[in-house]
Amino acid sequence: MARVLLYATGQLFGEAVGACLRREELVDGVVVVHDALAVAGTARGSQVDIVLYDITAGGALAAVRALTDQLMELPVVALTASPDADDVIAYVDSGLVAWVPRDSTLDELVGVLAMALRGETSCDSRVTRSLVDELRRRRESSEVVEAAELLTRREAETVRLIEQGYTNKEIAVELHLSVATVKNHVHAVLSKLELTRRAQVGDLVRRKPWLLRSA
C-alpha cells in the first residue's frame, strides 16, 4: 500500500485521476496538489511514498529537476504526452524514475507506479537503444575530457609517434629533444595510461583515438 501525491495543473483532471487511484488496491491514499510550489512541502508533510507529476505544461521539467533534488528519497513519476527517445533522456536527466503517457489506461498507470515503488522502470526497446547510445556518447565525451587533462601536449605527441612505431631515438630527433627527455615522457605516458609496455600504446590509441587530440 502506498500514499501518492498527485500534482496536476488542471483541477478536474487531477481530481478525476485521484479518484480513480483511490479505488486501487495498491493505493492507500492520494493527495492532490495544483500548485507546483507546494509539491515538495506537501510531500514531506503528508508522508507520501511516491509523487505523480503532470509535466505536460511548459517548463515543467525545470520544476521537476528542482523537486527531485529536494526529494531525493522519493520516486517521482511523470504524467506526460507520448514521449520520444529524446524526451526520455531529458526525463532521466531531470531525476524522473518513470513516465506514463496521459492516454494510458488506469491499469497501465498503476503498473508503472508499482514498478517505480519497487525500484524498477519499464522502457520500450526503441527508447532503450537511444538511452544506451546516449550513455555511450557521454562516457566517450568524459574520456575525451579526462584524456585532455591526463596528457600534456608533449606527452600526446610522444604517444602519436610511439603508435607510429618510432623508437626513442627517432622520437628525440622528430621532437628536437634529448633521448633522456623522451624516455621520461615515455615513462610518464605508460604510467598515466596504466600500461606496462610501449607495445600496448598502439592498441590503446586505436581504441581511443581522442587520446591524441592534445597533440
Side-chain angles (χ1 to χ4, degrees):
M1 300 285 283
R3 287 182 58 78
V4 180
L5 186 152
L6 168 62
Y7 164 73
T9 53
Q11 187 167 343
L12 179 61
F13 174 77
E15 294 297 341
V17 174
C20 290
L21 286 175
R22 290 186 183 98
R23 296 198 297 265
E24 295 296 318
E25 184 177 347
L26 171 75
V27 179
D28 187 38
V30 180
V31 179
V32 181
V33 177
H34 302 292
D35 180 0
L37 297 178
V39 174
T42 304
R44 294 193 191 96
S46 302
Q47 297 182 324
V48 299
D49 302 296
I50 192 167
V51 176
L52 182 59
Y53 197 105
D54 185 355
I55 63 169
T56 53
L61 274 184
V64 166
R65 188 173 291 107
L67 178 66
T68 55
D69 285 344
Q70 296 177 67
L71 302 177
M72 296 180 63
E73 72 283 3
L74 282 180
V76 181
V77 175
L79 278 170
T80 179
S82 295
D84 59 23
D86 288 338
D87 291 329
V88 169
I89 289 169
Y91 297 167
V92 173
D93 280 339
S94 69
L96 290 167
V97 300
W99 41 92
V100 187
R102 280 178 51 146
D103 59 359
S104 298
T105 65
L106 179 61
D107 285 345
E108 289 170 335
L109 170 58
V110 173
V112 171
L113 292 176
M115 290 183 68
L117 287 163
R118 295 194 303 267
E120 302 170 2
T121 298
S122 176
C123 197
D124 69 49
S125 58
R126 177 179 58 85
V127 171
T128 299
R129 176 55 188 268
S130 295
L131 288 173
V132 170
D133 289 344
E134 175 67 10
L135 288 172
R136 183 181 297 113
R137 184 194 66 77
R138 293 184 183 192
R139 183 194 65 202
E140 292 178 352
S141 296
S142 175
E143 288 180 332
V144 169
V145 173
E146 290 174 0
E149 296 173 348
L150 184 66
L151 298 178
T152 66
R153 181 181 61 83
R154 188 64 84 186
E155 288 167 351
E157 290 173 339
T158 301
V159 168
R160 174 174 57 81
L161 295 174
I162 292 174
E163 192 270 335
Q164 293 175 14
Y166 281 56
T167 65
N168 285 355
K169 193 170 184 178
E170 290 169 335
I171 294 173
V173 172
E174 180 74 16
L175 300 181
H176 307 290
L177 300 171
S178 69
V179 174
T181 299
V182 170
K183 287 182 178 179
N184 287 337
H185 287 324
V186 172
H187 177 76
V189 162
L190 294 178
S191 178
K192 288 182 176 182
L193 300 182
E194 299 181 347
L195 302 176
T196 57
R197 304 187 310 278
R198 63 187 292 148
Q200 296 171 308
V201 171
D203 287 339
L204 183 62
V205 169
R206 281 187 285 277
R207 285 187 287 110
K208 300 181 178 182
W210 52 84
L211 287 168
L212 301 184
R213 292 188 182 181
S214 297

